[in-house]
Amino acid sequence: MRVLLPALAILLSACGSDAPDGLALASPATEASAAEAVGVTVEEVATGLDGPWGLAFLPDGRVLVTERTGQLRVVTLDGDVSAPLAGVPEVHVERQGGLLDVALDPAFEANRLVYLAFSRPGPRGTSATAVGRGRLGEGALEDVEILFTQEGYHGRGFHFGSRIVFGPEGHLFASTGDRFLFGPAQDLSDHLGVIVRLNPDGSVPEDNPFVGQAGAQPEIWSYGHRNVQSLAFDPATGVLWEAEYGPKGGDELNRIEAGVNYGWPEVSWGDNYDNTPIPDPPTRPEFTDAVVQWTPVISPSGMAFYTGDVFPSWSGDLLISSLSQQGIVRVEIDGEAVTGQEVIELGRRIRDLEEGPDGHVYVLTDGGSGALWRLSPEAGE
């Protein structure tokens, strides 16, 4: 199936959300010029996916796709969808929880290791965000082990995060959510509302910012986050970027640095769901403010930097999959500054995206009848 969808450049303005899992849109006073807007053709690659959440390309061009309901599948670009792989860790499926992200080890071709983020079952119906890994075999993950489990199991089914990404030096970064508990995002004694940094085997790097600090979890890299489902390194600069859901308004794009507190829930560009105000970030300069905030929200669900040549005008740009905007938010970044934005409307809630080895952009549509789509420039672009 091919559907022609023109990209639409929209002036963004300021807000955020995931109430719980998405609301609306906004930004700074920057806008992609009309000349930069690119018409996009959508081709349906595979259908029938049950709540697809994350994807990762294998070296042979096939795609690993997680389904939030607990299945890991292999999808070919011819549209074949495998049976669920055996060996996947048990997951707690509730509201936003389940089998979440997937990533390949940087040395995958040698070691065949696949990493998964998921909500791990705990006692009496509780759960916690966790990261595990296993070796990809024929139809199964083998030698599966749990590398990290968020300190503190909780009964709420919201705000698990979680994206996983490898940094330029080979460390594993994983994001978590605050489990809709607010205050713990400021508490270094747990892993709620943080980004953690691990060695690939799950051990703690000695140079993590809180190693040796009494009462602090040594895995923490940054904190004061609400619910982070978008995480990516800029290959040009090595900078880690994240996007997270705000409350009622105030979705954020942040440049992540070691040991930094990003302020949730003490400050936010959004308001509480009952409309009570939250102090704006400039009122508390001890916290690091967002580079961009969106009100109304975009509901950022995944992100990747584009480095291919199929969309030459997007080269070096950050692509953020959006639930509430039903498409992609393209963010132009010059070094560490955002210089422009554009919403590429696709007409469906988009849960995740990746650049394929062929330079095309592949997206997962959200929900129980999910699909894998391939994006190409409109003919003549």
Side-chain angles (χ1 to χ4, degrees), residues 239-325:
V239 172
L240 178 60
W241 293 81
E242 65 96 79
E244 65 184 80
Y245 297 87
K248 190 175 183 181
D251 285 359
E252 296 182 1
L253 178 66
N254 290 300
R255 200 169 44 240
I256 299 301
E257 299 178 85
V260 169
N261 184 346
Y262 290 84
W264 176 258
E266 300 299 319
V267 295
S268 174
W269 287 108
D271 294 328
N272 290 307
Y273 290 133
D274 63 4
N275 294 319
T276 57
I278 302 171
D280 291 341
T283 66
R284 299 286 299 274
E286 68 269 31
F287 301 126
T288 296
D289 195 4
V291 177
V292 171
Q293 65 94 6
W294 289 278
T295 303
V297 299
I298 65 170
S299 308
S301 52
M303 65 163 56
F305 279 87
Y306 184 75
T307 62
D309 55 12
V310 171
F311 293 93
S313 65
W314 295 1
S315 181
D317 292 348
L318 179 61
L319 305 180
I320 304 175
S321 54
S322 169
L323 298 175
S324 57
Q325 290 303 300

Coordinates of all heavy atoms in Angstrom, one line a residue, residues 239-325:
V239 N 26.7 13.9 21.7 CA 25.8 14.4 22.8 C 24.6 13.5 22.9 O 24.0 13.1 21.9 CB 25.4 15.8 22.5 CG1 24.3 16.3 23.5 CG2 26.6 16.8 22.6
L240 N 24.2 13.2 24.2 CA 23.0 12.4 24.4 C 21.8 13.3 24.5 O 21.8 14.3 25.3 CB 23.2 11.6 25.7 CG 21.9 10.7 26.1 CD1 21.6 9.7 25.1 CD2 22.2 10.1 27.5
W241 N 20.8 13.1 23.8 CA 19.5 13.8 23.8 C 18.4 12.9 24.3 O 18.4 11.7 24.0 CB 19.2 14.4 22.4 CG 20.1 15.4 21.9 CD1 21.3 15.2 21.3 CD2 20.0 16.9 21.9 NE1 21.9 16.4 21.0 CE2 21.1 17.4 21.3 CE3 18.9 17.7 22.4 CZ2 21.2 18.8 21.2 CZ3 19.1 19.1 22.3 CH2 20.2 19.6 21.7
E242 N 17.4 13.5 25.0 CA 16.2 12.8 25.3 C 15.0 13.7 25.2 O 15.1 14.9 25.3 CB 16.3 12.3 26.8 CG 16.4 13.3 27.9 CD 15.1 13.6 28.5 OE1 14.6 12.8 29.3 OE2 14.5 14.7 28.2
A243 N 13.9 13.1 25.0 CA 12.6 13.8 25.0 C 11.7 13.1 26.0 O 11.7 11.8 26.0 CB 12.0 13.8 23.6
E244 N 11.0 13.8 26.8 CA 10.1 13.2 27.8 C 8.8 13.9 27.8 O 8.6 15.1 27.4 CB 10.8 13.3 29.2 CG 11.0 14.7 29.7 CD 11.7 14.6 31.1 OE1 13.0 14.5 31.0 OE2 11.1 14.7 32.1
Y245 N 7.8 13.2 28.3 CA 6.4 13.7 28.5 C 6.4 14.7 29.7 O 6.8 14.3 30.7 CB 5.5 12.5 28.8 CG 5.3 11.5 27.7 CD1 6.2 10.4 27.6 CD2 4.3 11.6 26.7 CE1 6.1 9.5 26.6 CE2 4.2 10.7 25.7 CZ 5.0 9.6 25.7 OH 4.9 8.7 24.7
G246 N 5.7 15.8 29.4 CA 5.4 16.7 30.5 C 4.0 16.2 31.1 O 3.4 15.3 30.6
P247 N 3.5 17.0 32.0 CA 2.1 16.7 32.5 C 1.1 17.3 31.6 O 1.0 16.8 30.4 CB 2.1 17.4 33.9 CG 3.1 18.5 33.8 CD 4.1 18.1 32.8
K248 N 0.3 18.2 31.9 CA -0.6 18.9 31.0 C 0.1 20.0 30.4 O 0.1 21.2 30.8 CB -1.8 19.4 31.8 CG -3.0 19.9 30.9 CD -4.2 20.2 31.8 CE -5.3 20.7 30.9 NZ -6.5 21.0 31.7
G249 N 0.8 19.7 29.3 CA 1.7 20.6 28.6 C 3.1 20.4 29.1 O 3.4 19.6 30.0
G250 N 4.1 21.0 28.4 CA 5.5 20.9 28.8 C 6.3 19.7 28.5 O 7.2 19.3 29.2
D251 N 6.0 19.0 27.3 CA 6.9 18.0 26.8 C 8.3 18.7 26.6 O 8.4 19.8 26.2 CB 6.4 17.4 25.5 CG 5.3 16.4 25.7 OD1 4.8 16.2 26.8 OD2 4.8 15.9 24.6
E252 N 9.3 17.9 26.8 CA 10.7 18.5 26.8 C 11.6 17.8 25.9 O 11.6 16.6 25.7 CB 11.3 18.4 28.3 CG 10.5 19.2 29.3 CD 11.2 19.2 30.6 OE1 12.2 18.5 30.8 OE2 10.7 19.8 31.6
L253 N 12.6 18.6 25.3 CA 13.8 18.0 24.7 C 14.9 18.5 25.5 O 15.1 19.7 25.7 CB 13.9 18.6 23.2 CG 15.1 18.1 22.5 CD1 15.1 16.6 22.2 CD2 15.2 18.9 21.1
N254 N 15.7 17.5 26.0 CA 16.9 17.9 26.9 C 18.2 17.3 26.3 O 18.2 16.3 25.7 CB 16.6 17.2 28.3 CG 15.5 17.9 29.0 OD1 15.6 19.1 29.3 ND2 14.5 17.1 29.4
R255 N 19.2 18.1 26.6 CA 20.6 17.6 26.3 C 21.1 17.1 27.7 O 21.1 17.7 28.7 CB 21.4 18.9 25.9 CG 22.7 18.6 25.2 CD 23.3 19.9 24.6 NE 23.2 21.0 25.5 CZ 22.6 22.1 25.3 NH1 21.9 22.3 24.2 NH2 22.6 23.1 26.2
I256 N 21.4 15.8 27.7 CA 21.7 15.1 28.9 C 23.2 15.1 29.3 O 24.1 14.8 28.4 CB 21.2 13.6 28.8 CG1 19.7 13.6 28.6 CG2 21.6 12.9 30.1 CD1 18.9 14.2 29.6
E257 N 23.5 15.5 30.5 CA 24.8 15.6 31.0 C 24.9 14.8 32.4 O 23.9 14.7 33.1 CB 25.2 17.0 31.2 CG 25.2 17.9 29.9 CD 25.6 19.3 30.2 OE1 26.8 19.6 30.2 OE2 24.7 20.1 30.4
A258 N 26.1 14.3 32.7 CA 26.3 13.5 33.9 C 26.0 14.3 35.1 O 26.4 15.4 35.3 CB 27.7 13.0 33.9
G259 N 25.2 13.7 36.0 CA 24.9 14.2 37.3 C 23.9 15.4 37.4 O 23.7 15.9 38.5
V260 N 23.3 15.7 36.3 CA 22.5 16.9 36.2 C 21.0 16.6 36.6 O 20.5 15.5 36.3 CB 22.5 17.5 34.8 CG1 21.4 18.6 34.6 CG2 23.9 18.1 34.5
N261 N 20.4 17.5 37.3 CA 19.0 17.4 37.8 C 18.1 18.3 36.9 O 18.3 19.5 36.8 CB 18.9 17.9 39.2 CG 17.5 17.8 39.8 OD1 16.6 17.5 39.1 ND2 17.5 17.9 41.1
Y262 N 17.2 17.6 36.2 CA 16.3 18.3 35.2 C 15.0 18.8 35.8 O 14.2 19.3 35.1 CB 16.1 17.4 34.0 CG 17.4 17.3 33.2 CD1 18.4 16.4 33.6 CD2 17.7 18.2 32.2 CE1 19.6 16.3 32.9 CE2 18.9 18.1 31.5 CZ 19.9 17.2 31.9 OH 21.1 17.1 31.2
G263 N 14.8 18.7 37.1 CA 13.8 19.5 37.8 C 12.4 18.9 38.1 O 11.7 19.4 39.0
W264 N 12.0 17.8 37.4 CA 10.7 17.2 37.7 C 10.7 16.6 39.1 O 11.7 15.9 39.5 CB 10.3 16.2 36.7 CG 9.0 15.5 37.0 CD1 8.8 14.2 37.5 CD2 7.7 16.1 36.8 NE1 7.5 14.0 37.7 CE2 6.8 15.1 37.3 CE3 7.2 17.3 36.3 CZ2 5.4 15.3 37.2 CZ3 5.9 17.5 36.3 CH2 5.0 16.5 36.7
P265 N 9.6 16.8 39.9 CA 8.4 17.5 39.7 C 8.4 18.9 40.3 O 7.3 19.5 40.3 CB 7.4 16.6 40.4 CG 8.1 16.2 41.6 CD 9.5 16.0 41.2
E266 N 9.6 19.4 40.7 CA 9.6 20.7 41.3 C 9.3 21.8 40.3 O 8.7 22.9 40.7 CB 11.0 20.9 41.9 CG 11.4 19.9 43.0 CD 10.4 20.0 44.1 OE1 10.0 21.1 44.6 OE2 10.0 18.9 44.6
V267 N 9.7 21.6 39.0 CA 9.4 22.6 38.0 C 8.9 21.9 36.7 O 9.2 20.7 36.5 CB 10.6 23.5 37.7 CG1 11.0 24.3 38.8 CG2 11.8 22.6 37.2
S268 N 8.2 22.6 35.9 CA 7.7 22.1 34.6 C 7.1 23.2 33.8 O 6.6 24.2 34.4 CB 6.7 21.0 34.8 OG 6.1 20.6 33.6
W269 N 7.2 23.1 32.5 CA 6.5 24.1 31.6 C 5.0 23.7 31.5 O 4.2 24.5 30.9 CB 7.1 24.1 30.3 CG 8.4 24.8 30.3 CD1 9.7 24.3 30.1 CD2 8.7 26.2 30.4 NE1 10.7 25.2 30.2 CE2 10.1 26.4 30.4 CE3 7.8 27.3 30.6 CZ2 10.6 27.7 30.5 CZ3 8.4 28.6 30.7 CH2 9.8 28.8 30.6
G270 N 4.6 22.6 32.1 CA 3.2 22.3 32.0 C 2.5 22.4 33.4 O 3.2 22.9 34.4
D271 N 1.3 22.1 33.5 CA 0.5 22.1 34.7 C 0.1 20.7 35.1 O 0.1 19.8 34.3 CB -0.8 23.0 34.6 CG -0.5 24.5 34.3 OD1 0.6 25.0 34.8 OD2 -1.2 25.1 33.6
N272 N -0.4 20.6 36.4 CA -0.9 19.3 36.8 C -2.2 19.1 36.1 O -2.9 20.0 35.6 CB -1.1 19.3 38.3 CG 0.2 19.3 39.1 OD1 1.0 18.5 38.9 ND2 0.3 20.3 40.0
Y273 N -2.6 17.8 36.1 CA -3.8 17.4 35.3 C -5.1 18.1 35.9 O -6.1 18.2 35.3 CB -4.0 15.9 35.3 CG -3.0 15.2 34.4 CD1 -2.3 14.1 34.8 CD2 -2.7 15.7 33.1 CE1 -1.4 13.5 34.0 CE2 -1.8 15.1 32.3 CZ -1.1 14.0 32.7 OH -0.2 13.4 31.9
D274 N -5.0 18.5 37.2 CA -6.2 19.2 37.8 C -6.1 20.7 37.6 O -6.8 21.4 38.2 CB -6.3 18.8 39.3 CG -5.1 19.3 40.1 OD1 -4.1 20.0 39.5 OD2 -5.0 19.0 41.3
N275 N -5.1 21.1 36.7 CA -4.9 22.5 36.3 C -4.2 23.3 37.4 O -4.1 24.6 37.2 CB -6.3 23.2 35.9 CG -6.9 22.6 34.7 OD1 -6.1 22.3 33.7 ND2 -8.2 22.4 34.7
T276 N -3.8 22.7 38.5 CA -3.0 23.5 39.4 C -1.6 23.8 38.8 O -1.1 22.9 38.1 CB -2.9 22.8 40.8 OG1 -2.3 21.5 40.5 CG2 -4.2 22.6 41.5
P277 N -1.1 24.9 39.0 CA 0.2 25.3 38.3 C 1.4 24.6 39.0 O 1.4 24.3 40.2 CB 0.3 26.8 38.5 CG -0.5 27.1 39.8 CD -1.6 26.1 39.8
I278 N 2.4 24.4 38.2 CA 3.7 24.0 38.6 C 4.7 25.1 38.3 O 4.6 25.7 37.3 CB 4.2 22.7 37.9 CG1 3.1 21.6 38.1 CG2 5.5 22.2 38.3 CD1 3.4 20.4 37.2
P279 N 5.6 25.5 39.2 CA 6.5 26.5 38.9 C 7.3 26.3 37.6 O 7.7 25.2 37.3 CB 7.5 26.5 40.1 CG 6.7 25.9 41.2 CD 5.8 24.9 40.6
D280 N 7.5 27.4 36.8 CA 8.2 27.3 35.6 C 9.7 27.1 35.9 O 10.2 27.6 36.9 CB 8.1 28.6 34.8 CG 6.7 28.7 34.2 OD1 5.9 27.7 34.2 OD2 6.3 29.9 33.8
P281 N 10.5 26.5 35.0 CA 11.9 26.2 35.3 C 12.7 27.4 35.6 O 13.6 27.4 36.5 CB 12.3 25.5 34.0 CG 11.1 24.8 33.5 CD 10.0 25.7 33.8
P282 N 12.5 28.6 35.0 CA 13.4 29.8 35.3 C 13.3 30.2 36.8 O 14.1 30.9 37.2 CB 12.8 30.8 34.4 CG 12.3 30.1 33.2 CD 11.6 28.9 33.8
T283 N 12.2 29.8 37.5 CA 12.1 30.2 38.9 C 13.0 29.4 39.8 O 13.2 29.8 40.9 CB 10.6 30.0 39.4 OG1 10.3 28.6 39.4 CG2 9.6 30.7 38.5
R284 N 13.6 28.3 39.3 CA 14.5 27.5 40.1 C 15.7 27.2 39.2 O 15.9 26.2 38.6 CB 13.8 26.2 40.4 CG 12.5 26.3 41.3 CD 12.9 26.7 42.7 NE 13.7 25.7 43.4 CZ 13.2 24.6 44.0 NH1 11.9 24.4 44.0 NH2 14.0 23.7 44.5
P285 N 16.7 28.2 39.2 CA 17.8 28.1 38.3 C 18.8 26.9 38.7 O 19.7 26.6 37.9 CB 18.5 29.4 38.5 CG 18.0 30.0 39.8 CD 16.6 29.5 39.9
E286 N 18.6 26.3 39.9 CA 19.4 25.2 40.2 C 19.1 24.0 39.4 O 19.9 23.0 39.3 CB 19.3 24.8 41.7 CG 18.0 24.3 42.1 CD 17.0 25.4 42.6 OE1 17.0 26.5 42.1 OE2 16.1 25.1 43.4
F287 N 18.0 24.0 38.7 CA 17.6 22.9 37.8 C 18.0 23.2 36.4 O 17.9 24.4 36.0 CB 16.1 22.5 37.9 CG 15.7 22.1 39.3 CD1 14.6 22.8 39.9 CD2 16.3 21.1 39.9 CE1 14.2 22.4 41.1 CE2 15.9 20.7 41.2 CZ 14.8 21.4 41.8
T288 N 18.3 22.3 35.6 CA 18.6 22.5 34.2 C 17.3 22.5 33.3 O 16.6 21.5 33.3 CB 19.6 21.4 33.6 OG1 20.8 21.6 34.3 CG2 19.9 21.6 32.1
D289 N 17.1 23.6 32.6 CA 15.9 23.8 31.8 C 16.0 23.0 30.5 O 17.1 22.7 30.0 CB 15.7 25.2 31.5 CG 14.2 25.5 31.0 OD1 13.4 24.6 30.9 OD2 14.0 26.7 30.7
A290 N 14.9 22.7 29.9 CA 14.8 22.0 28.6 C 15.4 23.0 27.5 O 15.3 24.2 27.5 CB 13.4 21.6 28.2
V291 N 15.9 22.3 26.4 CA 16.4 23.1 25.2 C 15.1 23.5 24.5 O 15.1 24.7 23.9 CB 17.3 22.2 24.4 CG1 17.6 22.9 23.1 CG2 18.5 21.8 25.1
V292 N 14.1 22.7 24.4 CA 12.8 23.0 23.7 C 11.7 22.4 24.6 O 11.9 21.3 25.2 CB 12.7 22.3 22.3 CG1 11.3 22.4 21.8 CG2 13.7 22.9 21.4
Q293 N 10.6 23.1 24.7 CA 9.5 22.5 25.4 C 8.3 22.7 24.5 O 8.2 23.7 23.7 CB 9.2 23.2 26.7 CG 8.9 24.7 26.7 CD 7.4 24.9 26.8 OE1 6.6 24.0 26.9 NE2 7.0 26.2 26.6
W294 N 7.3 21.8 24.5 CA 6.2 21.8 23.6 C 4.9 21.9 24.4 O 4.6 21.1 25.3 CB 6.1 20.5 22.8 CG 7.2 20.4 21.7 CD1 7.2 20.9 20.5 CD2 8.4 19.6 21.8 NE1 8.3 20.6 19.8 CE2 9.0 19.7 20.6 CE3 8.9 18.8 22.8 CZ2 10.2 19.1 20.3 CZ3 10.1 18.2 22.5 CH2 10.8 18.3 21.3
T295 N 4.1 23.0 24.1 CA 2.8 23.2 24.7 C 1.9 23.8 23.6 O 2.2 24.9 23.2 CB 2.8 24.1 25.9 OG1 3.6 23.6 26.9 CG2 1.4 24.2 26.5
P296 N 0.9 23.1 23.1 CA 0.5 21.8 23.4 C 1.5 20.7 23.0 O 2.5 21.0 22.4 CB -0.8 21.6 22.6 CG -0.7 22.6 21.5 CD 0.2 23.7 22.0
V297 N 1.3 19.5 23.4 CA 2.3 18.5 23.5 C 2.5 17.8 22.1 O 1.6 17.8 21.3 CB 2.1 17.5 24.6 CG1 2.1 18.1 25.9 CG2 0.8 16.7 24.3
I298 N 3.6 17.1 22.0 CA 3.8 16.1 20.9 C 3.7 14.7 21.3 O 3.6 13.8 20.5 CB 5.2 16.4 20.2 CG1 6.4 16.1 21.1 CG2 5.2 17.8 19.7 CD1 7.7 16.1 20.4
S299 N 3.9 14.4 22.6 CA 3.9 13.0 23.1 C 5.0 12.2 22.5 O 4.8 11.4 21.7 CB 2.6 12.3 22.9 OG 1.5 13.1 23.4
P300 N 6.3 12.5 22.9 CA 7.5 11.9 22.2 C 7.7 10.5 22.6 O 7.9 10.2 23.8 CB 8.6 12.8 22.7 CG 8.2 13.3 24.0 CD 6.7 13.5 23.9
S301 N 7.6 9.6 21.6 CA 7.6 8.2 21.9 C 8.9 7.4 21.4 O 9.0 6.2 21.7 CB 6.4 7.5 21.2 OG 6.3 7.9 19.9
G302 N 9.7 8.1 20.7 CA 11.0 7.5 20.2 C 11.7 8.5 19.5 O 11.2 9.6 19.1
M303 N 13.0 8.3 19.2 CA 13.8 9.3 18.4 C 15.0 8.6 17.8 O 15.5 7.6 18.3 CB 14.2 10.5 19.3 CG 15.2 10.1 20.4 SD 16.1 11.6 21.1 CE 14.7 12.7 21.6
A304 N 15.5 9.3 16.8 CA 16.7 8.8 16.1 C 17.3 10.0 15.3 O 16.5 10.8 14.7 CB 16.5 7.6 15.2
F305 N 18.6 10.1 15.2 CA 19.2 11.0 14.3 C 19.3 10.4 12.9 O 19.6 9.3 12.7 CB 20.6 11.4 14.8 CG 20.6 12.4 15.9 CD1 20.5 12.1 17.2 CD2 20.7 13.8 15.6 CE1 20.5 13.0 18.2 CE2 20.7 14.7 16.6 CZ 20.6 14.3 17.9
Y306 N 19.0 11.3 11.9 CA 19.0 10.8 10.5 C 20.4 11.1 9.9 O 20.9 12.2 9.9 CB 17.9 11.4 9.7 CG 17.9 10.9 8.3 CD1 17.3 9.6 8.0 CD2 18.4 11.6 7.2 CE1 17.3 9.1 6.8 CE2 18.4 11.1 5.9 CZ 17.8 9.8 5.7 OH 17.8 9.3 4.5
T307 N 21.0 10.1 9.3 CA 22.3 10.2 8.7 C 22.4 9.7 7.3 O 23.5 9.7 6.7 CB 23.4 9.4 9.5 OG1 23.0 8.0 9.5 CG2 23.4 9.9 11.0
G308 N 21.2 9.3 6.7 CA 21.2 8.7 5.4 C 21.2 9.8 4.3 O 21.2 11.0 4.5
D309 N 21.1 9.3 3.0 CA 21.0 10.2 1.9 C 19.7 10.1 1.1 O 19.6 10.7 0.1 CB 22.2 9.9 1.0 CG 22.3 8.5 0.5 OD1 21.4 7.7 0.7 OD2 23.4 8.1 -0.1
V310 N 18.8 9.3 1.6 CA 17.5 9.2 0.9 C 16.7 10.5 1.1 O 16.0 11.0 0.2 CB 16.7 8.0 1.4 CG1 15.2 8.0 0.9 CG2 17.3 6.7 1.1
F311 N 16.8 11.1 2.3 CA 16.2 12.4 2.6 C 17.4 13.4 2.8 O 17.7 13.7 4.0 CB 15.3 12.4 3.8 CG 14.1 11.6 3.7 CD1 14.1 10.2 4.0 CD2 12.9 12.1 3.2 CE1 12.9 9.5 3.9 CE2 11.8 11.4 3.1 CZ 11.7 10.1 3.4
P312 N 18.1 13.9 1.8 CA 19.3 14.7 2.0 C 19.0 15.9 2.8 O 19.9 16.4 3.6 CB 19.7 15.0 0.6 CG 18.6 14.8 -0.3 CD 17.8 13.7 0.4
S313 N 17.8 16.5 2.8 CA 17.6 17.8 3.5 C 17.4 17.5 5.0 O 17.4 18.4 5.8 CB 16.4 18.5 3.0 OG 15.2 17.7 3.1
W314 N 17.3 16.2 5.4 CA 17.1 15.8 6.8 C 18.5 15.4 7.4 O 18.5 15.1 8.6 CB 16.2 14.6 7.0 CG 14.8 14.9 6.6 CD1 14.2 16.1 6.1 CD2 13.7 14.0 6.6 NE1 12.9 15.9 5.8 CE2 12.5 14.6 6.2 CE3 13.6 12.6 7.1 CZ2 11.3 14.0 6.1 CZ3 12.3 12.0 7.0 CH2 11.2 12.7 6.5
S315 N 19.5 15.4 6.7 CA 20.8 14.9 7.2 C 21.2 15.6 8.5 O 21.3 16.9 8.5 CB 21.9 15.1 6.1 OG 23.1 14.6 6.6
G316 N 21.5 14.9 9.5 CA 21.9 15.4 10.8 C 20.8 15.8 11.7 O 21.0 16.2 12.8
D317 N 19.5 15.7 11.2 CA 18.4 16.1 12.0 C 17.9 15.1 13.0 O 18.1 13.9 12.7 CB 17.2 16.5 11.1 CG 17.4 17.8 10.3 OD1 18.4 18.5 10.5 OD2 16.7 18.0 9.3
L318 N 17.3 15.5 14.0 CA 16.7 14.6 15.0 C 15.2 14.3 14.6 O 14.5 15.3 14.5 CB 16.8 15.2 16.4 CG 16.2 14.4 17.6 CD1 16.9 13.1 17.7 CD2 16.3 15.2 18.9
L319 N 14.9 13.1 14.5 CA 13.5 12.7 14.2 C 12.9 12.1 15.4 O 13.4 11.2 16.0 CB 13.5 11.7 13.0 CG 14.2 12.1 11.7 CD1 14.0 11.0 10.7 CD2 13.6 13.4 11.2
I320 N 11.7 12.7 15.8 CA 11.0 12.2 17.1 C 9.7 11.7 16.7 O 8.9 12.4 16.1 CB 10.9 13.4 18.1 CG1 12.2 14.0 18.4 CG2 10.2 12.9 19.3 CD1 12.1 15.3 19.3
S321 N 9.4 10.4 17.0 CA 8.1 9.9 16.7 C 7.1 10.5 17.7 O 7.4 10.7 18.9 CB 8.1 8.4 16.8 OG 8.6 7.9 18.0
S322 N 5.9 10.8 17.2 CA 4.9 11.5 18.0 C 3.6 10.8 18.0 O 3.1 10.4 17.0 CB 4.7 12.9 17.4 OG 3.6 13.6 18.0
L323 N 3.0 10.6 19.2 CA 1.7 10.0 19.4 C 0.6 11.0 19.1 O -0.2 10.8 18.3 CB 1.6 9.4 20.8 CG 2.5 8.3 21.2 CD1 2.3 7.9 22.6 CD2 2.3 7.1 20.3
S324 N 0.6 12.1 19.8 CA -0.5 13.1 19.7 C -0.5 13.9 18.4 O -1.5 14.3 17.9 CB -0.5 14.0 20.9 OG 0.8 14.7 21.0
Q325 N 0.7 14.1 17.8 CA 0.8 14.8 16.5 C 0.6 13.8 15.4 O 0.6 14.2 14.2 CB 2.1 15.5 16.4 CG 2.2 16.7 17.3 CD 1.0 17.7 17.1 OE1 0.9 18.2 16.0 NE2 0.2 17.9 18.1

